[in-house]
Amino acid sequence: MKKKDIIIGLLIIFIITSLSGYLLAQVYKVTKPKIEQQKKDEGQKLYKEIFPEGVEFTEEKEYIAVYDDEKKLLGRIYHIVQAGYGGPIVIKAGFDTEGKVKGVRILEHSETPGLGAKITEKSFLNQFAGKSGKKLYLKKYDKEGTIDAITGATISSKAVSDGVIKIQEKIKAEGKINETD
Amino acid sequence: MKELTCSPHIHSSETTAKIMWSVVIALLPATLASIYFFGLDALRVIIVCIISCYIGEVVSHFVFNRKLKSFDGSEVVTGLLLAFVLPPSIPLWMAGIGGFLAIFLVKELFGGIGFNIFNPALAARSILTVSFPLEMTQFTAPLSYRVDAITTATPLGIIKEGIGGQLPSLWQMFIGNRPGCLGETSILLLVIGAIFLLCRKIITWHIPVSYILTVVVITSIAGQNPIFHILAGGLVLGAFFMATDYVTSPITPKGKIIFGIGCGIITSLIRLKGSYPEGVAYSVIFMNMFVPLIDRYTLPKKFGAIKK
Amino acid sequence: MKLIEPKNFFAGIWKENPIFFLMLGLCPLLAVSSSLKDALGMGIAFIFVLTGANITVSLIRRFVPSHIRIPVFIVVIATFVTIADYSLAAYLPKLHRNLGVYLPLMVVNCIILGRAEAFASKNNILNSALDGLGMGLGFTLAIVIIAILRELPGQGTLFGIRTFGENYKPFLIMIMPPGAFFVIGFLIALKNSIGGRKRC
Amino acid sequence: MFQGGVKLVDFKEISKDKVTEDFPAPEKVIIPLSQHTGIPSKPVVKKGDTVLKGQLIGENAGFISSATHSSISGTVAGIENCSLPGGRISTAIIIENDGKDIPVEPVNRNWQDLKPEEIISIVRDSGIVGMGGAAFPSAVKLTIPKGKKADYVILNGCECEPFLTADYRVMIEETDKVVEGLFIICKAIGVKKGYIGIESNKRDLVPLLREAITKFVSEVVVEIKVLPEKYPQGSEKHLIKSVLNKEVPSGGLPVDVGCVVFNIQTALAIRDAVCEGIPLIERVLTVTGLVRNPKNLRTRIGTPVSKILEYCGVELKENTKIVIGGPMMGIQIHTTDIPVIKGTSGILVLPQEFLPEKIQPCIRCGKCIEVCPMRLVPAELGKYAENQKWERCNEFNVSDCIECGCCSYICPAKRPLVDLFKWAKVEIRKAGTK
């Protein structure tokens, strides 16, 4: 190959790359605000689902603080990754200031479809709402437990309940619960 | 002119059909045990599986233009083995789908008897397990059909989940009085059938022995009771009747031992570390894929091969 | 060759269907065909990228020396894929999330690179656009058929709407990877038995 | 003991105790010139010539070739083509019997006085070939190639094929001559150690043989080996493995492990040729199976099979087949006009099995691998041959197959493995000569 060919080739690649770079930059400029807005909306929607009373959600170091419209702290939303049956389960759980569960949502999981995957269903997750202490255990594992496991998917159910309990214990340990309880 | 035949002019009396029916006979004691422990449910599942296997055969005859072969009993074997690895409470239509897929998808699609890569019964069971996980993991307690059927966990399930239910005694597990798949529970009667096959020289000791020994060794190292691991789950059924399936296991004695050890390692790993309580079906299917490779590297050294 | 030849368009749809005949680009096909919605989205993104890349490659074909054509094609394709990626993320975030990594992976999809190399770099713009549209439609057709055949039995739904009633027990394996292989295998067999077997 | 093989029901009772009868010389004999492995012999008579019993009618045409002699006295009626078992066609000399049975002049020699080269040349001139079936010229076997050394001679008395009893009868009736033959062979080759290998179902021969051995004064030590009944014990390579525990290398000859093997009747023929000057013109064969009078017959070479069958009371029906040789390796013939040749060890009448309808796909049971005495993988080989993948067949050593039939015999799917391997060998040879 001649030197000239190489230089011409490099030049052409350079031109094409620059052109496409410019094009992409323009596209990026247009779409970036949209994408960010989408991300924010999505997060807000999820937090709202977990904590319907909340109005403002601010991200703190370890959790998301939930305030009402008078800037009063209502509770916190925690994020936890718990080992499930088929892999890690990413859980977001909201607790009010008294340490009671407000809501639980599953962000990611790889449980068996039709079986463990049922942990994302509201009928299972809503069982946690309003509960605290030993009530968060599965019925199978603790006498005081009140959570019904999904039929045939005890391990997945237990992973969710374990995750929620872990956060609860953490909150307790850090003293983020009002003494009124 | 008469059609000339090539030598030899005499043949042994063994035929494919005889082998297949012998396997059926060997499975009979365990079949009766399953009907005793799980009642008519078991019988219904068995009948549905066998009939659906035949339907699969007939359908593939039309779809693939294949010569409908004579009644050689291989469908009965597949149907029976499939029924053996299903829970007794499975809805009959699911068992039917399983039987049909075992023959149509796993066997005939690959070219019919002698050409399938995977064990039809176990492959069908795996398809059912991933498709209908709930129904495939509900086990009825033995003898409970006399009062009303109770769902309970299998011994391996109890170990895996760490809770609920009381483990049956080893003796109960040996005679088959435990929850589990339809035909896997009665170790005693399965072993009687297996001895029959060994005496008939239909199966050899290589695969079962290497398979079970490997499981024993690994579970002992892991600090669990190896006897429990033999009696619980489908190990005996798998080792004697599934892994020894001619078509899907290596052809040479050396290869058979490698195959058995492979199955044993995977079964133990799934039981000890995996998320499923039982791993016999998956380990046998997994090793099925390696059979051509194993065969390739375990060819016997020909007579008079020059030593290098 | 004439300025415009309609057969270039139809070849991609049936006779030289990229999936059933050329058997290229099976990766996104297997991965995102478990629901009709995602499949349709993927198909449309695919048509966009393929047509765009074909037109561009045809446009610049005279300026690009052959020894650097592959990197140039990749840059062109990557540009279109990134445009599609951003747009989907901005306007259809849910679809974007479902397609996941398979959208950016289109950069290395062999159908697109293959058409750029085999067709667009040798034909005029109109024919290349037709080819891109045809091949893209062929891909979309294939992925939609496969998605229907997987979603219906596998989830009992179509476009997320229940079709078989509440009591239907989904045949879950169909929405898992093996189901994709079953369906694609049977479809290729079917195409071969209808349209004559491909001689290798 | 060799690996593999099968234990067969031997069916030898049918003809075991029938004393060998002389089959009367027929009115006409057909003597093919290609009864042996190698180049056919060259005819030295023409139509109308008068020949004596034992007269040379075809001479040695090369190194691996053999002479052919007339088995009766009479006139040459013509030189025509005749078919041989296995569909081969050979030129044959047809001789009409004059009923006088005049032999050529007999000689009386003492083998002890002969030099090895002389013995070998007598054997060559007498047209002696291996009479176990392969029909390899014996003189070639007796000539040890340069650079090689033979230490043992094994006499193959296994007769491992079911049904056949000819060798057994010969050993009972002509014990001394057979043993003398062994001593002659040892002398010709110059070895000091001889073995006689027999299967355990012929254990009653041991005292007879032992007694015969003591009758000869020689420096050669002869040992009798009683081997377990297992087919194909009589295969040259497997006999050596059983007797000496040595494996003949693949593609090699017995002499590579210092060993030469001869059939019982070959030894007898050598003895008759060396001591009495009688060339190979008759042999003992067994007529058995679905036969009214099963017999062991001493038959002239060239006797048509039809005459023998008639003599033994065989009615040819639609559902019977005639096999030349044993049931495991014998060849079915389509016409009974075929003559008895030097390698014909038996004529077997068996029921016709319509096998092609019973053939099923291989279920990979592995029984063929268990029984293959050559330790091949017949199951895989069969599949390759069926799909005409000849290179793969070659790779899997189809050329080592001895066509013993164990695999086909044991196969539960009744696959015609030997048939396929024969085909593969032919195709490979074709490809090789191209």
Side-chain angles (χ1 to χ4, degrees), chain D residues 150-327:
Chain D
D151 301 314
Y152 313 98
V153 168
I154 302 177
L155 220 48
N156 185 353
C158 293
E159 203 165 43
C160 57
E161 282 261 19
F163 288 102
L164 302 187
T165 53
D167 287 359
Y168 172 76
R169 288 314 305 179
V170 168
M171 278 190 277
I172 284 191
E173 291 163 21
E174 319 251 12
T175 323
D176 290 357
K177 289 185 180 172
V178 168
V179 172
E180 197 176 1
L182 173 61
F183 282 110
I184 297 172
I185 293 166
C186 288
K187 168 138 198 202
I189 300 176
V191 304
K192 299 276 176 291
K193 179 93 190 169
Y195 290 95
I196 302 175
I198 55 172
E199 275 193 337
S200 57
N201 57 356
K202 304 177 196 63
R203 207 179 280 277
D204 51 328
L205 290 172
V206 176
L208 289 175
L209 289 168
R210 206 160 271 155
E211 200 200 320
I213 291 164
T214 54
K215 287 182 189 162
F216 297 91
V217 187
S218 167
E219 55 190 342
V220 176
V221 185
V222 176
E223 200 179 312
I224 300 163
K225 284 266 186 185
V226 181
L227 306 165
E229 256 178 274
K230 192 167 159 196
Y231 180 85
Q233 190 74 264
S235 145
E236 204 169 57
K237 289 179 175 182
H238 297 97
L239 182 65
I240 294 170
K241 172 79 181 164
S242 293
V243 171
L244 297 172
N245 197 23
K246 281 182 182 167
E247 274 185 23
V248 179
S250 165
L253 290 171
V255 76
D256 292 332
V257 291
C259 190
V260 186
V261 181
F262 285 91
N263 178 266
I264 292 293
Q265 294 205 43
T266 317
L268 178 66
I270 290 176
R271 185 260 162 210
D272 284 349
V274 172
C275 299
E276 294 170 28
I278 306 172
L280 180 48
I281 53 168
E282 59 181 19
R283 66 159 298 144
V284 180
L285 53 82
T286 309
V287 185
T288 179
L290 301 174
V291 182
R292 202 173 307 132
N293 308 311
K295 282 181 192 328
N296 297 299
L297 291 176
R298 185 170 294 108
T299 320
R300 305 290 171 91
I301 303 296
T303 311
V305 168
S306 53
K307 298 270 182 249
I308 298 172
L309 292 178
E310 222 170 82
Y311 181 75
C312 295
V314 177
E315 288 166 52
L316 286 179
K317 286 185 214 127
E318 253 321 287
N319 56 350
T320 53
K321 62 176 172 188
I322 315 283
V323 173
I324 296 291

Side-chain angles (χ1 to χ4, degrees), chain A residues 9 12 16 20 24 28 38 42 113, chain C residues 63 65 68 72 79 90 93 97 172:
Chain A
I12 288 173
I16 288 174
S20 82
L24 285 182
Y28 187 60
Q38 291 280 9
E42 219 172 284
Chain C
F63 315 111
I68 55 156
V72 169
T79 311
R97 203 172 50 212
L172 285 170

Side-chain angles (χ1 to χ4, degrees), chain C residues 71-191:
Chain C
V72 169
F73 293 165
I74 300 253
V75 168
V76 170
I77 295 166
T79 311
F80 280 98
V81 169
T82 316
I83 293 173
D85 191 33
Y86 284 161
S87 320
L88 280 184
Y91 302 103
L92 293 166
K94 216 166 169 196
L95 179 65
H96 182 257
R97 203 172 50 212
N98 285 346
L99 294 184
V101 74
Y102 296 101
L103 194 61
L105 267 183
M106 258 201 277
V107 174
V108 287
N109 190 301
C110 14
I111 302 177
I112 302 176
L113 194 61
R115 291 328 285 177
E117 164 81 13
F119 196 92
S121 63
K122 292 176 190 130
N123 290 286
N124 63 30
I125 298 173
L126 281 172
N127 277 328
S128 300
L130 277 185
D131 180 71
L133 272 175
M135 284 285 164
L137 271 176
F139 177 85
T140 312
L141 189 75
I143 199 171
V144 161
I145 292 173
I146 292 167
I148 292 173
L149 292 178
R150 288 180 70 189
E151 193 183 339
L152 261 183
Q155 282 182 321
T157 62
L158 205 57
F159 251 112
I161 304 158
R162 281 209 169 275
T163 41
F164 294 143
E166 282 301 316
N167 285 329
Y168 176 72
K169 279 245 175 272
F171 195 48
L172 285 170
I173 200 167
M174 296 308 286
I175 53 162
M176 293 193 207
F181 283 108
F182 292 161
V183 172
I184 199 171
F186 276 110
L187 285 178
I188 289 170
L190 195 69
K191 192 203 175 230

